[in-house]
């Protein structure tokens, strides 16, 4: 499992595309939060509030594109190159392969967030340490859960096809659906009780309170269930080649 | 092959069932952890109590809504929504709420205006919001910063902001901070049938309705308020004068009380009436007369109330507190004569008292400001418990009376700390227990034993608050006639917590402890230091945009170098 993990990470940095995508992600975030933004609220300096909330509002949308782009090749490329069979012939279970890849992408996710600590320290400095540390920690946890969900969706999208572009589109679609599609459907459905249930399937609904520093076990379990479900489906799809 | 397939699918299905089970279970057994420092997401216990015990629907119509809300108001709206959701959950549906965009729900523009006007009349702030309409023209909408609560056909307004203290952001932060309080307040009021009554004693030169406007208006939120007179229109004492009153506020009387008046107040306490004493030990000590004349003569003040208090266990000292922990006032410095000549001087006759933070009444309060205050001493009296709510700083001395106080002397005096070592003395005391009547053994037995008179020698468990300053609850007015809230320092534009303290006193004495508890919850304001932002804006921008990229580039380089190194050695 660790071998898979190392291989994925190394592969990510082997080409320029990986780091460039990371840089783009950070650049867009930084520009929105510190320099230019469509409204005052998003810009930390003009809003005047000592909070990282703009990051936690913006980042989910950035991950919506970034993570499918990162995970699209996870299985699709191996399938196209025929290396998947090679991988599966090793003394590794399918589950180990999937989790190895999952944690590799999870580490990359953490890597995208580490430079944002600079934002945090800047705000600390500008506000004489009055930023709410606990709430900020909660928000980071929420963002990690959200990103992990996107990763599991991306892995699933990658395992069902050989074509990376199709994988990208499928995971984009599913991420969108899970991120805010359900709340959209709930809004349209009109019926409030059914709408509420539909809404509960959406990531946004569960991200909202964590990102403000309120940890609700229901939200945590939701994320674990979502991730587990997609990993299960991925595993089923991976084993289906033997049928 | 088929065996594989069946095995895989059964594995998959068991996994799915386990996940589903966990998901469903999680909705029955759950836990919320509020990570925020200020416990922003946690409603106060007393609020929860109130909400859980509701058995009738209270409905809130919240008018802070619409598509043109600016960002900072959207933030306020969202946190209101959060709180309302939680309140709705806790109250088991007995609190309903609805966000209403007046411009959306009412088509007719005349009706819109009427609704807005009605809300404004009820005391809800209406905020004009400029926005660009579809044609790109600058237009304006009006957003009410408040809600209405409905219950059994009655309705009361729920303002989100009160008064305009400080800037816009500060006002909004306060709105979020006080929301829980406003909501519970409304629920409580709607459920209350009989209101308690607070009487402001008049007739002895006390602070009048204008001086106490801020205080009485604030108390009117929870209680009936009005003046209280001990004498009728032809000057005879009425023995039943205080019968309808639950809390008597005696603010800065300067004329003596007659024996009969003392008797009425004494028996009021014996019967369980609460009293808030705000008394001066000196007369003639006023800052405004000092500013007119340059100097004042202060002499001891005898109203007759001090003797009663002595019996209850408190001595009002006849001196004036001079405290090094004090506020500043401008004093003209004629020495340099450059025309401007006003400088802020520490004015030790305006002590700033830090909360002892030892009681529900003064918990989490900022300092309060007093003026020409006296001090108190406690006396060993049986069955009375004393709580010192505020005391002098300890770096203080006491000016004996009578004496002359002038600006020049005060400004010229060299402050030597060793002269200010007279020790701490209480300024505000809470007395609780059974009080013994001042008139016990002082009136003829024939009278006291007469059943019709119903003289009480002792009270049941009761409480009074004694403050050794009469101006603590006084509000001032600007030359234009606008009220300046009590506790405002006009010269430095700071706010002291006089108001919260006095409201807490009233709430506590009248047994409305939960009102205090909710009010004392404090959300810290988290704002950037605008000076620092301005000074370092470009630097911060460069760092925050550049540094993350450099970090990623460095990490990538490490990988590349590492790989090269590995491959070259192999």
């Amino acid at each position: 499992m660790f071998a898979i993990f190392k291989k994925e990470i190394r592969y990510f940095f082997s080409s320029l595309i990986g780091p460039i995508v990371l840089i783009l992600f950070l650049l867009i975030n930084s520009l929105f939060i510190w320099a230019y933004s469509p409204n005052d609220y998003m810009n930390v300096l003009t809003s005047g509030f000592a909070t990282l909330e703009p990051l936690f509002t913006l980042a989910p949308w950035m991950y919506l594109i970034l993570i499918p782009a990162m995970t699209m090749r996870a299985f699709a490329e191996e399938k196209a190159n025929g290396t998947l069979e090679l991988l599966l012939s090793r003394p590794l279970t399918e589950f180990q392969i999937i989790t190895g890849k999952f944690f590799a992408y999870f580490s990359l996710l953490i890597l995208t967030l580490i430079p944002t600590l600079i934002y945090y320290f800047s705000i600390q400095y500008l506000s004489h340490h009055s930023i709410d540390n606990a709430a900020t920690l909660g928000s980071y946890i929420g963002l990690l859960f959200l990103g992990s969900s996107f990763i599991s969706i991306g892995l699933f999208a990658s395992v069902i096809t050989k074509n990376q572009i199709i994988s990208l589109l499928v995971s984009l679609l599913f991420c969108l659906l899970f991120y805010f599609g359900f709340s959209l459907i709930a809004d349209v459905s009109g019926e409030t009780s059914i709408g509420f249930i539909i809404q509960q399937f959406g990531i946004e609904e569960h991200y909202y309170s964590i990102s403000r520093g309120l940890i609700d076990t229901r939200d945590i379990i939701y994320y674990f269930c979502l991730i587990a479900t997609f990993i299960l489906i991925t595993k089923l799809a991976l084993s289906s080649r033997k049928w | 092959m088929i065996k594989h397939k069946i095995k895989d699918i059964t594995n998959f299905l068991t996994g799915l069932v386990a996940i589903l089970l966990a998901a469903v279970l999680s909705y029955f057994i759950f836990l919320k952890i509020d990570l925020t420092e200020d416990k922003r997401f946690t409603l106060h216990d007393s609020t929860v109590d109130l909400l859980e015990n509701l058995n009738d629907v209270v409905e809130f119509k919240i008018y802070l809504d619409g598509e043109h809300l600016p960002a900072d108001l959207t933030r306020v709206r969202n946190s209101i929504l959060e709180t309302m959701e939680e309140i709705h959950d806790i109250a088991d549906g007995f609190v309903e709420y609805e966000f209403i965009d007046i411009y959306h729900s009412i088509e007719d523009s005349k009706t819109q205006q009427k609704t807005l006007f009605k809300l404004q009349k009820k005391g809800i702030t209406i905020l004009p919001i400029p926005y660009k309409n579809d044609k790109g023209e600058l237009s304006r909408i009006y957003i009410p910063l408040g809600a209405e609560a409905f219950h059994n056909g009655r309705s009361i307004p729920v303002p989100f902001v009160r008064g305009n203290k400080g800037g816009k952001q500060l006002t909004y932060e306060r709105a979020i901070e006080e929301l829980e309080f406003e909501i519970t307040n409304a629920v409580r009021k709607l459920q209350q049938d009989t209101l308690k009554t607070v009487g402001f004693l008049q007739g002895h030169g006390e602070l009048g309705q204008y001086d106490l406007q801020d205080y009485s208006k604030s108390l009117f939120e929870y209680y009936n308020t009005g003046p209280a007179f001990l004498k009728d229109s032809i000057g005879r004492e009425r023995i039943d004068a205080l019968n309808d009153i639950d809390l008597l506020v005696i603010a800065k009387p300067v004329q003596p009380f007659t024996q009969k008046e003392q008797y009425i107040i004494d028996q009021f306490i014996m019967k369980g009436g609460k009293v808030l004493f705000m008394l001066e030990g000196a007369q003639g000590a006023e800052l405004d007369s000092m500013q007119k004349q340059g100097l004042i003569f202060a002499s001891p003040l005898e109203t007759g109330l001090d003797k009663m208090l002595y019996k209850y266990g408190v001595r009002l000292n006849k001196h004036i507190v001079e405290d090094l922990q004090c506020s500043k006032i401008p004093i003209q410095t004629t020495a340099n004569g450059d025309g401007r000549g006003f400088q802020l001087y520490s004015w030790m006759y305006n002590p700033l008292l830090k909360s002892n933070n030892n009681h529900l009444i003064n918990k989490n309060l900022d300092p309060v400001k007093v003026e020409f205050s006296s001090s108190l001493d406690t006396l060993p009296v049986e069955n009375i418990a004393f709580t010192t709510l505020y005391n002098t700083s300890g770096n203080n001395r006491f000016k004996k009376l009578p004496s002359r106080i002038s600006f020049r002397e005060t400004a010229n005096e060299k402050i030597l700390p060793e002269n200010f070592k007279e020790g701490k003395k209480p300024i505000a005391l809470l007395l609780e227990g059974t009080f013994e009547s001042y008139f016990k053994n002082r009136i003829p037995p024939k009278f006291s034993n007469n059943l019709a008179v119903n003289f009480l020698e002792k009270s049941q468990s009761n409480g009074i608050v004694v403050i050794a300053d009469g101006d603590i609850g006084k509000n001032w007015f600007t030359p234009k006639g606008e009220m300046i809230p009590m506790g405002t320092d006009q010269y430095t534009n700071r706010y002291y917590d006089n108001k919260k303290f006095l409201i807490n006193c009233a709430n506590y004495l009248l047994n409305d402890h939960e009102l205090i508890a909710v009010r004392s919850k404090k959300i810290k304001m988290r704002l950037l230091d605008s000076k620092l932002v301005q000074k370092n804006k470009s630097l911060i921008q460069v760092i925050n945009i550049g540094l993350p990229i450099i970090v990623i580039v460095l990490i990538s380089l490490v990988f590349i170098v590492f790989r090269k190194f590995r491959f070259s050695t192999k």
Side-chain angles (χ1 to χ4, degrees):
Chain A
M1 192 176 121
F2 191 61
I4 302 269
F5 174 85
K6 271 206 304 207
K7 193 193 84 157
E8 287 292 322
I9 300 263
R10 214 182 298 135
Y11 187 89
F12 184 83
F13 284 102
S14 68
S15 71
L16 272 180
I17 296 167
I20 284 174
V21 168
L22 282 190
I23 286 170
L24 266 179
F25 167 81
L26 288 167
L27 192 66
I28 294 172
N29 268 336
S30 309
L31 285 175
F32 265 99
I33 294 166
W34 296 98
Y36 170 79
S37 55
N39 60 29
D40 289 351
Y41 179 44
M42 284 299 290
N43 189 321
V44 169
L45 293 180
T46 47
S47 83
F49 290 112
T51 168
L52 260 181
E53 260 176 54
L55 172 69
F56 300 117
T57 320
L58 188 64
W61 293 95
M62 305 295 300
Y63 281 148
L64 214 53
I65 300 159
L66 180 77
I67 291 178
M70 273 183 356
T71 54
M72 65 182 181
R73 42 159 297 278
F75 290 101
E77 197 183 48
E78 305 235 23
K79 269 186 169 174
N81 296 345
T83 49
L84 187 64
E85 285 306 319
L86 204 70
L87 198 63
L88 287 163
S89 64
R90 292 223 200 148
L92 285 168
T93 64
E94 289 146 353
F95 187 69
Q96 280 172 328
I97 293 172
I98 295 168
T99 46
K101 284 185 188 260
F102 177 86
F103 282 113
Y105 290 115
F106 183 71
S107 319
L108 291 175
L109 178 71
I110 292 175
L111 190 65
T112 62
L113 286 178
I114 287 172
T116 64
L117 290 177
I118 294 164
Y119 305 167
Y120 168 78
F121 288 118
S122 302
I123 293 174
Q124 277 278 39
Y125 166 70
L126 289 176
S127 67
H128 305 292
H129 300 270
S130 80
I131 190 169
D132 192 339
N133 290 318
T136 310
L137 178 72
S139 305
Y140 271 111
I141 294 172
L143 210 50
L144 285 178
F145 273 120
L146 176 129
S148 309
S149 312
F150 285 176
I151 291 171
S152 69
I153 292 173
L155 288 179
F156 151 76
S158 183
V159 83
I160 55 170
T161 173
K162 268 188 216 176
N163 189 325
Q164 291 194 28
I165 300 300
I166 292 175
S167 160
L168 175 72
L169 291 178
V170 170
S171 67
L172 206 66
L173 193 76
F174 270 79
C175 286
L176 263 176
L177 176 71
F178 273 90
Y179 183 53
F180 85 129
F182 282 114
S183 21
L184 211 65
I185 296 168
D187 279 351
V188 177
S189 76
E191 186 82 31
T192 45
S193 57
I194 295 174
F196 178 74
I197 294 172
I198 296 174
Q199 208 172 21
Q200 295 304 306
F201 282 97
I203 290 175
E204 198 185 23
E205 178 73 12
H206 298 275
Y207 176 65
Y208 189 68
S209 47
I210 290 189
S211 77
R212 265 137 221 273
L214 178 66
I215 295 206
D216 187 329
T217 51
R218 284 172 293 187
D219 296 333
I220 308 276
I221 290 182
Y222 163 82
Y223 282 117
F224 277 118
C225 289
L226 184 71
I227 294 165
T229 309
F230 274 101
I231 286 189
L232 268 182
I233 300 174
T234 310
K235 183 170 176 286
L236 187 72
L238 202 58
S239 10
S240 69
R241 97 213 111 79
K242 290 182 284 188
W243 298 350
Chain B
M1 284 294 155
I2 205 83
K3 227 172 93 188
H4 264 301
K5 189 173 176 177
I6 291 167
K7 200 183 139 213
D8 285 339
I9 289 178
T10 39
N11 275 349
F12 174 71
L13 288 179
T14 16
L16 220 53
V17 169
I19 288 168
L20 208 67
L21 213 66
V24 171
L25 259 177
S26 77
Y27 271 80
F28 293 102
I29 310 158
F30 62 86
L31 189 75
K32 279 184 177 182
I33 306 160
D34 184 354
L35 283 182
T36 54
E37 261 168 49
D38 42 32
K39 297 285 161 238
R40 213 179 311 162
F41 301 101
T42 318
L43 292 179
H44 202 274
D45 290 345
S46 63
T47 308
V48 175
D49 256 9
L50 175 79
L51 293 173
E52 279 178 345
N53 292 323
L54 279 181
N55 37 28
D56 232 344
V57 175
V58 180
E59 204 191 332
F60 285 89
K61 283 188 177 161
I62 300 159
Y63 297 106
L64 182 61
D65 202 13
E67 48 187 331
H68 295 296
L69 283 189
D72 36 11
L73 269 184
T74 311
R75 197 177 113 100
V76 178
R77 184 199 169 274
N78 287 346
S79 35
I80 290 171
L81 178 68
E82 273 170 38
T83 314
M84 289 313 293
E85 272 177 353
E86 201 184 347
I87 286 176
H88 176 81
D89 286 350
I90 291 173
D92 235 349
F94 280 120
V95 172
E96 302 265 344
Y97 64 95
E98 192 184 354
F99 278 86
I100 292 174
D101 175 4
I102 286 187
Y103 289 87
H104 209 262
S105 60
I106 302 172
E107 297 272 312
D108 176 32
S109 68
K110 258 190 187 162
T111 329
Q112 284 172 6
Q113 295 303 326
K114 259 190 202 165
T115 318
L116 285 170
F117 187 65
K118 262 190 213 160
L119 288 172
Q120 190 165 31
K121 258 178 100 183
K122 285 177 184 166
I124 290 173
T125 311
I126 310 280
L127 208 66
I129 307 280
Y131 76 102
K132 274 199 183 122
N133 64 12
D134 302 337
K135 291 173 206 153
E137 296 158 353
L138 207 61
S139 186
R140 185 173 281 193
I141 54 164
Y142 295 88
I143 299 290
L145 290 176
E148 275 187 294
F150 297 85
H151 173 73
N152 274 346
R154 269 210 298 165
S155 84
I156 52 168
V158 186
F160 292 153
V161 291
R162 292 165 184 280
N164 237 344
K165 294 182 199 164
K168 204 172 68 173
Q169 277 180 358
L170 199 79
T171 314
Y172 293 163
E173 288 290 320
R174 288 243 165 114
I176 296 171
E177 182 183 329
E178 315 246 293
L179 179 74
E180 178 185 351
F181 174 70
E182 296 290 354
I183 298 283
T184 49
N185 204 7
V187 170
R188 221 171 246 128
K189 266 202 222 159
L190 282 174
Q191 295 217 312
Q192 224 162 35
D193 298 323
T194 52
L195 288 175
K196 291 170 192 153
T197 302
V198 178
F200 293 93
L201 192 67
Q202 301 292 304
H204 312 86
E206 289 96 340
L207 297 181
Q209 57 168 323
Y210 295 109
D211 301 317
L212 291 170
Q213 190 179 0
D214 195 19
Y215 190 33
S216 65
K217 257 192 171 175
S218 314
L219 288 183
F220 187 66
E221 297 287 313
Y222 326 100
Y223 312 114
N224 290 323
T225 58
F229 297 94
L230 297 176
K231 290 181 177 168
D232 60 17
S233 51
I234 52 168
R236 283 180 314 190
E237 289 86 355
R238 291 184 305 142
I239 199 84
D240 60 348
L242 302 176
N243 279 7
D244 302 328
I245 286 171
D246 299 286
L247 168 67
L248 184 68
V249 176
I250 305 178
K252 205 182 177 184
V254 290
Q255 287 151 20
F257 286 69
T258 63
Q259 285 277 321
K260 280 182 187 167
E261 286 178 320
Q262 291 174 19
Y263 178 80
I264 297 169
I265 294 171
D266 178 75
Q267 286 302 299
F268 173 69
I269 296 172
M270 295 309 126
K271 283 177 196 152
K274 322 285 179 189
V275 184
L276 172 55
F277 290 97
M278 296 187 250
L279 304 177
E280 296 270 308
Q283 62 182 347
E286 296 292 335
L287 189 59
D288 45 357
S289 49
M290 197 163 176
Q291 279 164 336
K292 276 178 213 144
Q293 299 149 13
L295 83 167
I296 49 165
F297 293 97
S299 54
L301 175 66
E302 300 284 349
T303 57
L305 290 180
D306 9 357
K307 284 182 191 143
M308 287 171 64
L309 288 175
Y310 195 85
K311 175 80 176 178
Y312 302 149
V314 176
R315 180 172 55 222
L316 177 65
N317 294 315
K318 299 295 160 68
H319 57 214
I320 292 177
V321 176
E322 297 175 294
D323 200 319
L324 290 186
Q325 181 181 292
C326 58
S327 72
K328 290 183 170 158
I329 64 163
I331 292 182
Q332 194 161 24
T333 47
T334 45
N336 50 12
D338 65 348
R340 277 180 279 154
F342 277 99
Q343 269 185 346
L344 282 181
Y345 268 92
S346 285
W347 184 242
M348 55 196 181
Y349 296 106
N350 283 3
L352 297 178
L353 312 175
K354 278 193 185 145
S355 166
N356 277 344
N357 229 339
N358 57 346
H359 193 272
L360 192 58
I361 292 180
N362 59 7
K363 209 167 185 187
N364 289 338
L365 290 191
D366 287 341
V368 300
K369 193 181 101 173
V370 292
E371 287 183 23
F372 289 112
S373 164
S374 305
S375 71
L376 303 172
D377 276 317
T378 58
L379 305 162
V381 175
E382 266 175 46
N383 300 326
I384 297 282
F386 297 95
T387 313
T388 306
L389 300 170
Y390 285 93
N391 47 248
T392 61
S393 70
N395 296 318
N396 52 265
R397 63 180 185 196
F398 304 106
K399 198 167 189 91
K400 289 198 181 68
L401 297 176
S403 88
R404 196 183 71 160
I405 301 169
S406 76
F407 276 124
R408 196 184 299 163
E409 274 169 40
T410 315
N412 289 344
E413 189 194 334
K414 262 206 181 133
I415 305 266
L416 300 167
E418 59 265 28
N419 292 340
F420 290 83
K421 288 282 174 232
E422 290 193 38
K424 290 183 186 181
K425 267 187 194 288
I427 295 212
L429 278 172
L430 167 69
L431 279 68
E432 287 171 300
T434 53
F435 294 84
E436 201 164 76
S437 170
Y438 171 58
F439 289 93
K440 185 186 174 186
N441 304 331
R442 287 169 61 100
I443 48 174
K446 206 177 119 193
F447 180 73
S448 59
N449 292 338
N450 187 341
L451 283 178
V453 172
N454 193 17
F455 173 75
L456 294 176
E457 281 191 351
K458 247 184 172 187
S459 74
Q460 298 286 318
S461 175
N462 200 358
I464 62 173
V465 169
V466 184
I467 304 168
D469 178 45
D471 293 311
I472 189 169
K474 185 174 178 176
N475 55 261
W476 304 86
F477 289 88
T478 63
K480 280 185 200 159
E482 287 165 34
M483 189 189 74
I484 305 167
M486 58 168 139
T488 308
D489 188 338
Q490 301 166 53
Y491 308 115
T492 54
N493 243 338
R494 280 203 54 183
Y495 295 94
Y496 298 102
D497 260 348
N498 294 26
K499 189 160 157 182
K500 276 192 182 165
F501 168 58
L502 290 181
I503 296 173
N504 283 357
C505 285
N507 286 158
Y508 181 80
L509 289 174
L510 290 172
N511 261 327
D512 294 318
H513 299 182
E514 66 284 350
L515 287 173
I516 306 173
V518 177
R519 195 179 307 114
S520 73
K521 189 165 121 172
K522 222 175 190 180
I523 292 184
K524 211 169 137 191
M525 265 182 306
R526 301 173 186 284
L527 299 174
L528 299 179
D529 180 344
S530 51
K531 261 189 213 152
L532 265 182
V533 170
Q534 259 168 11
K535 216 170 81 189
N536 300 316
K537 193 175 176 191
S538 331
L539 181 70
I540 290 283
Q541 282 179 335
V542 168
I543 288 177
N544 279 287
I545 296 168
L547 212 54
I549 296 173
I550 293 172
V551 170
I552 294 295
V553 169
L554 283 179
I555 292 175
S556 312
L557 278 178
V558 168
F559 267 94
I560 289 167
V561 170
F562 178 68
R563 206 159 48 114
K564 280 228 169 99
F565 175 74
R566 232 171 72 130
F567 281 112
S568 57
T569 48
K570 257 184 188 176

